Amino acid sequence: MPTDSKRVPGPTETQPPFLYQKKNEKAETILVNSDGNRHDGRKPAEMRPIFLKAGVISQARGSAYIEQHNTKVICAVYGPHEYQRREGFSMKGKLRCEVKYATFSCRQRGSHQTDTREKEAALVIQQALEPAVCLHKFPKSQLDIFVTVLQNDGSALGAALTCASAAVADAGIEMYDLVIGCQMRQAGESMLLDPTVQEEYHSRLVKNAESNHGAVTVALLPSINQVSALVQKGNLESEIALQVLKTCTEACQRIYPVVQQCLTKAVQSREKTMDTSETKT
């Protein structure tokens, strides 16, 4: 049988590069150093820089891309379109959300099949966006929202909430308000805002007897100051949980102007493109 002489033969077996990387077990147990800073140099109540851009996918009706340091998420919105006849009749529109972690987004290679984490994230985003979207404006129709996590360095759900909201607004869908997402890790007396993947809560690292260890994700409608979704993992006392919720809502209010500025730039860019095409014709 003839062989392909132009193809460079690769190795028959490969090993992931993380196999040779030293695992920092201290980073998982000691979250705050003696000087009061985290391992990446941030203060406990400090967020990572955010980059947000709308209108990045030309084929979609609306789209957005967000970066929170090494956490990168992209979202595309299609529709509204008529939903399948087998579903029940409703004068209100429906949202369908799908979340997918890219196979290369995490240290451990993911599967192409949808897992439980992705289904839970899709449900949270759908429940968070439903109170914000004017569903009665497109009866008997469905809006499809596709979220892809390109790289996960922590707080992926919070970034996905903000990105999905910006994409829906970029699609021109009428909304009561935007949805801003934020995550926080509570580790004993330490509150870590916008945690990285090493700082995120994992039950295997916490003893059952220890309290006030967990994580909270908040989706906020900032203009009307209402929480549309709340996810808590772990064990938190009521007073600590209220304090975490207050800190997350304040962080969402700080993210809100970034989303507003992003959408304003997207509208201005579209107007400029339309003016240019009109002058050419």
Side-chain angles (χ1 to χ4, degrees), residues 16-240:
F18 298 109
L19 183 66
Y20 305 98
Q21 184 180 8
K22 291 182 179 179
K23 188 176 180 182
N24 190 1
E25 295 182 355
K26 270 190 172 181
E28 295 184 352
T29 54
I30 304 174
L31 301 176
V32 180
N33 298 326
S34 57
D35 56 356
N37 293 332
R38 292 146 78 170
H39 293 280
D40 55 1
R42 290 184 293 154
K43 298 290 183 183
E46 185 179 350
M47 293 188 298
R48 293 174 290 184
I50 296 177
F51 170 78
L52 180 64
K53 186 176 181 180
V56 294
I57 302 176
S58 57
Q59 292 84 359
R61 177 165 182 177
S63 58
Y65 171 77
I66 189 171
E67 281 187 10
Q68 289 183 216
H69 193 54
N70 286 332
T71 297
K72 302 171 184 179
V73 181
I74 192 168
C75 178
V77 175
Y78 298 90
H81 59 84
E82 185 178 359
Y83 53 77
Q84 297 178 359
R85 291 184 179 180
R86 65 167 179 248
E87 299 185 16
F89 176 81
S90 175
M91 286 302 295
K92 281 188 175 182
K94 295 183 179 180
L95 297 181
R96 187 178 75 89
C97 184
E98 184 177 314
V99 176
K100 184 63 186 173
Y101 282 75
T103 55
F104 50 82
S105 62
C106 305
R107 288 188 60 178
Q108 186 176 0
R109 185 173 179 84
S111 172
H112 292 283
Q113 296 180 349
T114 305
D115 57 10
T116 308
R117 176 181 59 171
E118 294 168 343
K119 291 179 180 178
E120 290 178 355
L123 183 61
V124 171
I125 295 174
Q126 179 181 337
Q127 292 177 347
L129 288 176
E130 281 178 347
V133 179
C134 300
L135 298 175
H136 63 279
K137 292 290 185 178
F138 47 96
K140 299 181 287 184
S141 300
Q142 177 177 290
L143 191 68
D144 296 327
I145 303 169
F146 298 95
V147 179
T148 304
V149 180
L150 301 175
Q151 187 173 349
N152 181 20
D153 190 32
S155 304
L157 180 56
L161 284 164
T162 307
C163 187
S165 173
V168 172
D170 181 63
I173 305 298
E174 293 187 48
M175 303 176 69
Y176 297 107
D177 198 358
L178 294 169
V179 178
I180 309 298
C182 181
Q183 286 187 246
M184 193 166 194
R185 164 74 193 276
Q186 179 70 32
E189 298 179 356
S190 302
M191 290 185 181
L192 306 180
L193 189 63
D194 187 19
T196 61
V197 70
Q198 289 182 338
E199 296 169 342
E200 285 187 334
Y201 171 76
H202 297 286
S203 57
R204 59 181 173 81
L205 300 176
V206 180
K207 297 179 181 178
N208 295 329
E210 294 180 349
S211 61
N212 290 331
H213 281 268
V216 174
T217 303
V218 175
L220 180 73
L221 308 177
S223 295
I224 57 180
N225 199 27
Q226 288 188 2
V227 175
S228 60
L230 176 65
V231 180
Q232 176 183 325
K233 295 180 180 179
N235 182 18
L236 297 178
E237 297 177 0
S238 57
E239 295 181 358
I240 299 296

